[in-house]
DNA sequence: TTCGGTTATGAATCGGACC
DNA sequence: TGGTCCGATTCATAACCGA
């Protein structure tokens, strides 16, 4: 186990499983210390008993046994408690994922919103091999729902758009994910060869979550660790992880499982990066360096407009002056314009996009 | 308009649109009088500024006053009121469908449960042609959620298992439905040729709901009638319907629309059985599913080139990074390359084409 | 008339760095 | 912390238009 010092005590028990109740365990961890929470809370809503009185009023909460939720009120109280702690533990730019089925996910989502979390997407895990509905009384329950939320409206969050787009054959990732359930060799077994956990999640699901919404080195907390799928995938992907699990049997399976995981090498962990992350280049630098001469004429990509380069890196169009972006937007009557991809210059009679010059400068910056 | 006598007064204004607020209008209807409620309530989207597409065109947002609520509390109070009336109107063996997005559906589901409704399934409408996420800041919101609930635990409900199975090419219907959004000729227009309603639902969605969970002659109530999709499909399928709509313009469009609908004869109830092309598989899926490990080396079929798999499903070659197709094309100096047939991996000393893994996944998808 | 290229559009909680 | 301005970003489908 590693511990990471945060501002003041206590320390963060990274890459280890904390034994105990998730709410108490979270209370012992420091504010603003984790980048992501992934939670697969229990939803064994055992509602056979008297949930409602004859007049339909709700029966009072029973809050003495967390593992058997005798009423929606009890489940809501539990949800409120662990979400409150999770929100406290999240860094300002952190985010939370939670997964559930129709039994509990509506209560989870409503409570998330009540606490000020800001829902970014709900995601449907569409199971490619679900259990059929044997009695033919309902639709085959072939999906589960995940909710992805930032700490609050306007809060920052990590989203590796280009990595997910690459994972999806070059088309932007959608909110419906088709993945198989966890079976076969991936399914953890106990000593007697039985499945160790009733609802083990597939590693493919965590892979997509972690690649898409964390970076290497981030700290991922799973307060309902179970047999440690989150930890196994986090370790392989070079993320730090913290698990909380009450059941000693699950902890043992998870420890053994994660110990066997090897971290992928650094090159494999690098993902497609966004252009947004690349260093900014001022257009004026091209003029300073003599790549473009003051007075030189630029042409718009569509061939309809011209403008002249000025010594200070602005452009002079027919009736407007300003940055490459401003002049482009004005000439097109558009709300905005990316001047880098809009303008071209001529060399030896050939039109060349000015963005090529920016790429040259960026390459030099890399080398330098 | 037809009226149907129920036990005592008042009578049921079947196959007509009631003008006015849905809560008040429902209060005037008799207890236990309808077989199904289908509700498409306001989503409370909470949109902020204007949104432009990358081509600078403006997205026509849902900014109607009827969709805006001051707070979650206000939205919840509204939800509670109309659900209470809906439950009162349902016959003991009746059921309710409600549709929403992540903005409101968690609040809907929680309130349903609080009132004693019994959720039978949540159903995901996976849109085959959703609006993309133009800024690349989140996942494309490609689905909406429906909740199907009976009046209470243990209550009877109608479920036409075999009809839905037939609709699904002989396989048990699942909880995820892939249907296109409402566009083209199906979209109702106003006098000026503009879309008459910002959120018109596709008839295919209502078709599936009504075929699956009502019988001919049943009474279907839609308290948020809009331009009358529920009425149009109900009439075609030989179900009675009641619409409630506040907006006179929407009512007018709905009246005109439904008047043109003819009830299907058996022959017209055809199901399109167009064979789909082979489903596209993203290379990244092989990585997510652990069929290939990040860092694993692929060999070209001709044995001349090698590249390493990365966590996001891209390849890293000696001097190039990109999709399996891009890297293959670059290494061969070719304009294009089918990466699926170009690359192989090693298992137990044997070279295996990656296309074999794709075939495995396709087989799963067929089965699912 | 057919074919191919272009344009339009859909329930969307859709910046952020820097001064 | 508020204002300024750079500059990144889209998929499926149908209608439309010109040859």
């Amino acid at each position: 186990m590693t511990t990471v010092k945060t501002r003041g005590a206590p320390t963060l028990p990274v890459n280890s499983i904390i034994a105990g109740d998730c709410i108490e365990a979270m209370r012992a961890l420091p504010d603003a210390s984790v980048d992501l929470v992934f939670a697969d809370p229990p939803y064994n809503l055992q509602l056979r008993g008297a949930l409602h009185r004859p007049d339909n009023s709700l029966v009072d909460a029973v809050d003495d046994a967390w593992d058997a939720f005798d009423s929606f009120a009890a489940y809501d109280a539990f949800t409120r408690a662990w979400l409150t702690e999770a929100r406290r533990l999240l860094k300002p730019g952190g985010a939370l994922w939670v997964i559930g089925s129709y039994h509990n996910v509506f209560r989870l989502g409503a409570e998330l919103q009540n606490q000020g979390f800001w829902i970014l997407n709900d995601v449907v895990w569409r199971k490619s091999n679900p259990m059929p509905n044997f009695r033919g009384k309902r639709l085959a329950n072939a999906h589960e729902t995940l909710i992805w939320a930032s700490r609050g409206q306007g809060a920052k969050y990590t989203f590796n758009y280009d990595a997910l787009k690459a994972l999806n054959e070059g088309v932007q990732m959608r909110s419906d994910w088709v993945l198989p359930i966890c079976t076969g060799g991936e399914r953890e077994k106990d000593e007697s060869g039985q499945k160790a956990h009733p609802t083990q999640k597939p590693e493919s699901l965590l892979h997509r979550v972690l690649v898409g919404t964390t970076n290497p080195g981030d700290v991922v907390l799973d307060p309902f660790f179970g047999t440690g799928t989150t930890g196994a995938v986090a370790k392989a992907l070079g993320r730090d992880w913290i698990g909380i699990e009450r059941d000693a049997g699950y902890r043992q399976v998870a420890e053994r499982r994660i110990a066997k995981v090897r971290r992928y090498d650094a090159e494999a962990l690098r993902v497609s990066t966004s252009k947004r992350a690349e260093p900014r280049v001022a257009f004026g630098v091209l003029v300073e360096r003599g790549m473009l001469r003051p007075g030189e004429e630029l042409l718009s990509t569509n061939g309809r407009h011209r403008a002249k380069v000025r010594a200070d890196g602005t452009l002079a169009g027919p009736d407007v002056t300003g940055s490459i972006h401003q002049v482009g937007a004005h000439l097109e009557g558009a709300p905005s314009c990316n001047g880098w991809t809009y303008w071209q210059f001529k060399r030896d009679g050939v039109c060349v996009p000015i963005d090529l010059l920016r790429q040259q400068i960026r390459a030099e910056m890399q080398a330098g």
Side-chain angles (χ1 to χ4, degrees), chain A residues 235-303:
Chain A
K235 180 178 177 186
L237 288 174
R239 276 71 169 165
D240 284 329
W241 54 273
I242 304 171
I244 303 174
E245 177 54 49
R246 200 170 41 174
D247 185 289
Y250 294 161
R251 287 201 304 272
Q252 190 183 348
V253 172
E255 297 275 16
R256 193 185 58 204
R257 172 185 187 182
I258 296 170
K260 282 189 290 194
V261 172
R262 290 238 204 102
R263 181 180 164 161
Y264 302 136
D265 62 56
E267 168 61 17
L269 290 183
R270 203 166 301 148
V271 297
S272 310
T273 53
S274 162
K275 288 184 193 168
R276 279 186 257 255
E278 292 190 53
R280 257 182 211 213
V281 175
F283 178 71
V285 170
L286 311 194
V287 185
E288 283 177 350
R289 299 204 182 177
M291 300 168 107
L292 291 172
R293 287 174 293 99
E296 185 161 2
E297 199 167 58
L298 299 188
L299 287 87
S300 68
T301 315
N302 58 26

Side-chain angles (χ1 to χ4, degrees), chain A residues 88-159:
Chain A
R88 180 182 66 76
L89 296 183
L90 281 176
K91 296 178 186 174
L96 175 138
W97 285 85
V98 61
I99 181 168
S101 71
Y102 67 80
H103 305 90
N104 68 329
V105 77
F106 302 113
R107 316 206 75 85
L108 290 173
E111 184 56 31
L112 270 174
Q113 292 180 312
N114 291 344
Q115 297 212 3
F117 280 100
W118 195 247
I119 298 180
L120 298 166
N121 281 111
D122 62 332
V123 174
V124 173
W125 167 29
R126 196 262 187 188
K127 302 178 187 179
S128 52
N129 48 349
M131 192 189 306
N133 186 294
F134 293 112
R135 301 199 309 161
K137 296 299 188 188
R138 303 182 185 188
L139 302 164
N141 195 10
H143 75 276
E144 290 186 29
T145 302
L146 299 99
I147 305 175
W148 174 38
S150 67
R151 234 180 140 278
Q153 182 172 15
K156 290 210 293 185
Y157 56 92
T158 299
F159 183 51

Side-chain angles (χ1 to χ4, degrees), chain A residues 8-308:
Chain A
T11 52
L12 204 58
V14 154
N15 302 324
S16 68
I17 309 175
I18 302 172
D21 171 75
C22 82
I23 296 166
E24 285 175 34
M26 283 197 279
R27 285 203 180 116
L29 297 177
D31 290 3
S33 54
V34 309
D35 298 283
L36 193 84
V37 172
F38 183 92
D40 182 11
Y43 47 92
N44 48 334
L45 295 166
Q46 295 166 356
L47 299 170
R48 288 181 301 273
L51 174 60
H52 290 91
R53 301 191 182 89
D55 64 356
N56 276 332
S57 65
L58 197 61
V59 172
D60 281 343
V62 179
D63 50 7
D64 52 355
W66 293 118
D67 53 347
F69 299 99
D70 291 331
S71 69
F72 287 126
Y75 190 80
D76 292 346
F78 167 72
T79 301
R80 199 172 306 122
W82 76 258
L83 276 179
T84 300
E85 288 306 308
R87 189 148 184 272
R88 180 182 66 76
L89 296 183
L90 281 176
K91 296 178 186 174
L96 175 138
W97 285 85
V98 61
I99 181 168
S101 71
Y102 67 80
H103 305 90
N104 68 329
V105 77
F106 302 113
R107 316 206 75 85
L108 290 173
E111 184 56 31
L112 270 174
Q113 292 180 312
N114 291 344
Q115 297 212 3
F117 280 100
W118 195 247
I119 298 180
L120 298 166
N121 281 111
D122 62 332
V123 174
V124 173
W125 167 29
R126 196 262 187 188
K127 302 178 187 179
S128 52
N129 48 349
M131 192 189 306
N133 186 294
F134 293 112
R135 301 199 309 161
K137 296 299 188 188
R138 303 182 185 188
L139 302 164
N141 195 10
H143 75 276
E144 290 186 29
T145 302
L146 299 99
I147 305 175
W148 174 38
S150 67
R151 234 180 140 278
Q153 182 172 15
K156 290 210 293 185
Y157 56 92
T158 299
F159 183 51
N160 297 320
Y161 175 79
D162 294 278
L164 287 182
K165 188 171 176 178
L167 264 179
N168 198 35
E169 190 92 326
V171 180
Q172 76 175 196
M173 186 67 80
R174 301 166 38 120
S175 59
D176 55 327
W177 298 356
V178 180
L179 297 169
I181 61 176
C182 182
T183 55
E186 191 188 322
R187 192 86 195 217
E188 294 294 322
K189 308 291 192 303
D190 60 20
E191 306 76 27
S192 59
Q194 301 298 308
K195 61 186 177 189
H197 193 279
T199 65
Q200 186 181 339
K201 296 294 175 288
E203 297 194 357
S204 58
L205 186 69
L206 271 296
H207 182 102
R208 195 172 287 188
V209 165
L210 295 183
V211 166
T213 64
T214 63
N215 292 313
D218 279 3
V219 177
V220 178
L221 168 70
D222 186 336
F224 306 97
F225 204 57
T227 49
T229 306
T230 302
V233 177
K235 180 178 177 186
L237 288 174
R239 276 71 169 165
D240 284 329
W241 54 273
I242 304 171
I244 303 174
E245 177 54 49
R246 200 170 41 174
D247 185 289
Y250 294 161
R251 287 201 304 272
Q252 190 183 348
V253 172
E255 297 275 16
R256 193 185 58 204
R257 172 185 187 182
I258 296 170
K260 282 189 290 194
V261 172
R262 290 238 204 102
R263 181 180 164 161
Y264 302 136
D265 62 56
E267 168 61 17
L269 290 183
R270 203 166 301 148
V271 297
S272 310
T273 53
S274 162
K275 288 184 193 168
R276 279 186 257 255
E278 292 190 53
R280 257 182 211 213
V281 175
F283 178 71
V285 170
L286 311 194
V287 185
E288 283 177 350
R289 299 204 182 177
M291 300 168 107
L292 291 172
R293 287 174 293 99
E296 185 161 2
E297 199 167 58
L298 299 188
L299 287 87
S300 68
T301 315
N302 58 26
R304 280 204 278 272
H305 299 290
R306 288 156 191 277
K308 277 192 176 170

